Amino acid sequence: KYAPLLVAMGILIFLALLWIFLRNFVINRYQRTRSWYRFLSASTAIKSDLGSAKTNVEERSLLASSSEQIHPTRRLRSLDAFRGFSLVLMIFGNYGGGGYWFFQQSYWNGLTVADLVFPWFVFILGVSASISLSSLDRYGVSRCSTLCKVLWRVIKLFTLGLFLNKTNVLATFRIPGVLQRLALCYLAVCLLHLSLSPRPGSNTLSESPGWFSLLEIRHYLLQWFIALDLVLCQLLVTYLVDKPGCPSKYLGPGGLLGDYGKYSESNCTGGAAGYIDELVFGSHHILQTPTCNKMYLTGPYDPEGILGTLTCIFLAFLGLHAGHILMLYRDSRQRMIRWTLNGVVWGMIGAGLCEFQQNGGMIPINKNLWSVSYVLVTAGTSFLLLTIFYFIADVKKIWTGAPFFFVGMNSILVYVGHEMVRHYFPFDWQSDANYTSLMARNVTGTVLWVVIAYYLYHINFLVKI
């Protein structure tokens, strides 16, 4: 059963090792005398999408530790690699994940590899926003001007998300979506930064941070207060608001098969979360065939709805918090220790809320609801992965981030492109429904987008929002 997956992993590892060998021992040695070397070595420092406002400047001390100086235009390669890694996993899962259950989204409660990807994007968005907005502050750009750029960017991202919903029937046009939620989270964290962050040169930013200082919290207490209030609001509405005809505090999937079909007539799917979306958008303007429909035969329900956006904003805020750590502490060890501690603490709190079980605990882990436990567990993995990528790519510099770096640099184009052509050859084709055929199809479609991203990066074709 798992042989196709192991074979695919072996092939990809072999190709990666082959590329490293060719790049280090063939290309670098013999290509410098050729006219097309520039094509292979082209590199630009262009701001990335999904989280960084447009600017031509970079934070001078972004990668600098207390003992080294880094070129001011040097990017944080680990963040682009992390973004690209998340997107590659997303594409592979969206294309079918080789037919393996752990590359598919959970039907209701639970956590799979596919359930981790979107939260990683949200977290990265927060980190990128902290970096770009702090850079604009440092170079004297007025916050009013920055706010205008942010609003324009939010409008474009939200509109693009509506376009990807792909329907021309207005009576059933879906309003929520992935990019729409990213746009709202981006707007929220940018407003928190622009309204409640200390300005460069103020006394609060003139301290020399020590190992036991908590500048990333002390300087942003109001931001923490508002972000935690959003979580509290989500919890209160979830457990105090009941949908008519549904049991009190119901958080199940409903449907014809969920809970033995007892709540199918009232469409109790998601409890308060589904109820609020139906009140605001109407049942015809949310997702008609959610993931849970495959298992429980539910009615319309949208996992990117209003109530889950509150906890999603908190996850983006934790990314903003990771960015604050990056900007306030020059020593790479301090950054990694703080990120690691955050990852362990938030992850353990989230796991404790669900009692380390799929269907247990006070707050079950659930992507469809974006439950607090789900957000905290995925935040923990985000902090830890950021630490690992940062240590390998930016501290030790033993990995350039390739090939994920190229995907991360063009994430909007790759994401939109894979959504638009996912059912067309050569990205997909009809085949037998066995693991070998599915793995071949899904890996091919994913690798093609990596190759496309690599080519676009080297011809300097980078799409920004």
Side-chain angles (χ1 to χ4, degrees):
K1 178 179 179 180
Y2 296 104
L5 177 61
L6 296 176
V7 170
M9 291 177 62
I11 293 174
L12 293 176
I13 292 173
F14 170 77
L15 292 176
L17 294 174
L18 180 62
W19 167 249
I20 293 173
F21 172 79
L22 291 174
R23 186 178 183 86
N24 291 339
F25 297 101
V26 179
I27 295 178
N28 288 345
R29 183 171 297 180
Y30 299 108
Q31 298 276 333
R32 295 184 183 276
T33 59
R34 298 180 181 271
S35 59
W36 48 281
Y37 170 72
R38 291 181 180 177
F39 172 80
L40 292 172
S41 61
S43 178
T44 58
I46 298 178
K47 296 297 292 181
S48 183
D49 45 19
L50 284 182
S52 57
K54 292 181 180 179
T55 176
N56 295 322
V57 297
E58 283 285 348
E59 172 61 42
R60 184 176 297 272
S61 63
L62 190 59
L63 301 176
S65 68
S66 57
S67 60
E68 62 180 339
Q69 294 296 324
I70 304 295
H71 193 274
T73 60
R74 177 76 179 272
R75 290 183 62 90
L76 191 67
R77 296 188 71 90
S78 54
L79 195 60
D80 290 310
F82 187 11
R83 183 188 292 112
F85 173 73
S86 304
L87 185 51
V88 168
L89 271 183
M90 176 183 285
I91 294 172
F92 180 66
N94 288 348
Y95 280 1
Y100 294 100
W101 66 269
F102 44 84
F103 287 120
Q104 312 294 325
Q105 294 181 0
S106 300
Y107 291 119
W108 197 246
N109 292 338
L111 189 67
T112 65
V113 175
D115 295 328
L116 295 170
V117 176
F118 189 18
W120 289 347
F121 261 104
V122 175
F123 180 85
I124 293 168
L125 178 147
V127 180
S128 300
S130 175
I131 295 171
S132 59
L133 295 175
S134 296
S135 297
L136 290 170
D137 278 346
R138 229 171 244 281
Y139 282 87
V141 180
S142 70
R143 291 196 169 180
C144 181
S145 175
T146 300
L147 178 60
C148 292
K149 295 179 182 179
V150 167
L151 292 175
W152 178 233
R153 197 159 187 263
V154 168
I155 292 172
K156 291 188 290 184
L157 196 58
F158 196 95
T159 304
L160 184 59
L162 293 176
F163 170 76
L164 287 181
N165 284 342
K166 293 179 289 190
T167 181
N168 59 357
V169 183
L170 294 181
T172 58
F173 188 86
R174 182 192 178 199
I175 298 176
V178 171
L179 293 186
Q180 294 92 310
R181 174 168 281 188
L182 285 175
L184 294 176
C185 291
Y186 178 66
L187 175 63
V189 294
C190 286
L191 289 177
L192 282 176
H193 175 92
L194 293 174
S195 59
L196 298 174
S197 290
R199 293 180 177 274
S202 63
N203 292 332
T204 56
L205 291 179
S206 62
E207 304 177 41
S208 178
W211 279 99
F212 300 102
S213 63
L214 295 173
L215 302 184
E216 68 273 21
I217 295 178
R218 290 194 289 117
H219 291 173
Y220 304 98
L221 281 176
L222 282 178
Q223 293 184 13
W224 278 97
F225 179 77
I226 294 175
L228 290 171
D229 276 350
L230 292 177
V231 176
L232 179 61
C233 178
Q234 192 268 357
L235 289 172
L236 291 175
V237 174
T238 297
Y239 288 99
L240 296 181
V241 176
D242 299 324
K243 182 175 181 178
C246 300
S248 177
K249 303 178 183 178
Y250 182 73
L251 298 178
L256 293 176
L257 301 181
D259 298 300
Y260 306 102
K262 292 188 293 184
Y263 314 119
S264 59
E265 293 184 2
S266 301
N267 189 24
C268 295
T269 305
Y275 180 45
I276 290 173
D277 289 339
E278 289 183 10
L279 288 178
V280 175
F281 301 119
S283 60
H284 297 294
H285 296 287
I286 58 179
L287 189 60
Q288 300 298 300
T289 56
T291 303
C292 54
N293 181 65
K294 300 177 183 178
M295 175 69 73
Y296 302 106
L297 299 181
T298 66
Y301 176 79
D302 211 305
E304 277 77 52
I306 295 174
L307 196 56
T309 301
L310 299 180
T311 45
C312 191
I313 290 173
F314 181 72
L315 179 57
F317 172 75
L318 291 179
L320 191 76
H321 171 62
H324 292 159
I325 293 174
L326 182 72
M327 307 304 292
L328 288 171
Y329 299 94
R330 294 174 59 88
D331 190 340
S332 60
R333 293 173 299 173
Q334 291 200 37
R335 295 170 176 172
M336 291 188 293
I337 288 175
R338 281 168 167 77
W339 286 338
T340 302
L341 289 175
N342 272 275
V344 172
V345 170
W346 291 117
M348 291 300 293
I349 293 175
L353 289 174
C354 65
E355 296 181 357
F356 297 85
Q357 301 177 35
Q358 177 180 351
N359 297 300
M362 181 171 52
I363 303 178
I365 189 165
N366 189 301
K367 178 186 181 296
N368 294 279
L369 298 171
W370 278 72
S371 64
V372 175
S373 57
Y374 169 74
V375 166
L376 296 184
V377 168
T378 54
T381 62
S382 300
F383 274 107
L384 296 177
L385 276 176
L386 177 61
T387 305
I388 294 171
F389 276 80
Y390 177 72
F391 177 74
I392 297 174
D394 289 313
V395 177
K396 294 300 183 181
K397 299 182 177 63
I398 57 178
W399 178 46
T400 63
F404 305 121
F405 173 79
F406 307 115
V407 180
M409 288 289 290
N410 233 337
S411 56
I412 274 290
L413 186 147
V414 172
Y415 175 79
V416 173
H418 105 275
E419 283 283 349
M420 295 181 65
V421 302
R422 61 189 300 179
H423 299 300
Y424 295 93
F425 183 84
F427 301 96
D428 194 16
W429 61 86
Q430 294 294 326
S431 68
D432 296 332
N434 56 63
Y435 287 108
T436 301
S437 299
L438 291 173
M439 181 61 66
R441 287 165 50 187
N442 303 154
V443 169
T444 299
T446 305
V447 170
L448 282 174
W449 281 111
V450 174
V451 173
I452 290 170
Y454 172 78
Y455 174 74
L456 293 177
Y457 174 81
H458 282 288
I459 64 172
N460 195 22
F461 187 84
L462 304 179
V463 176
K464 299 179 292 181
I465 292 294

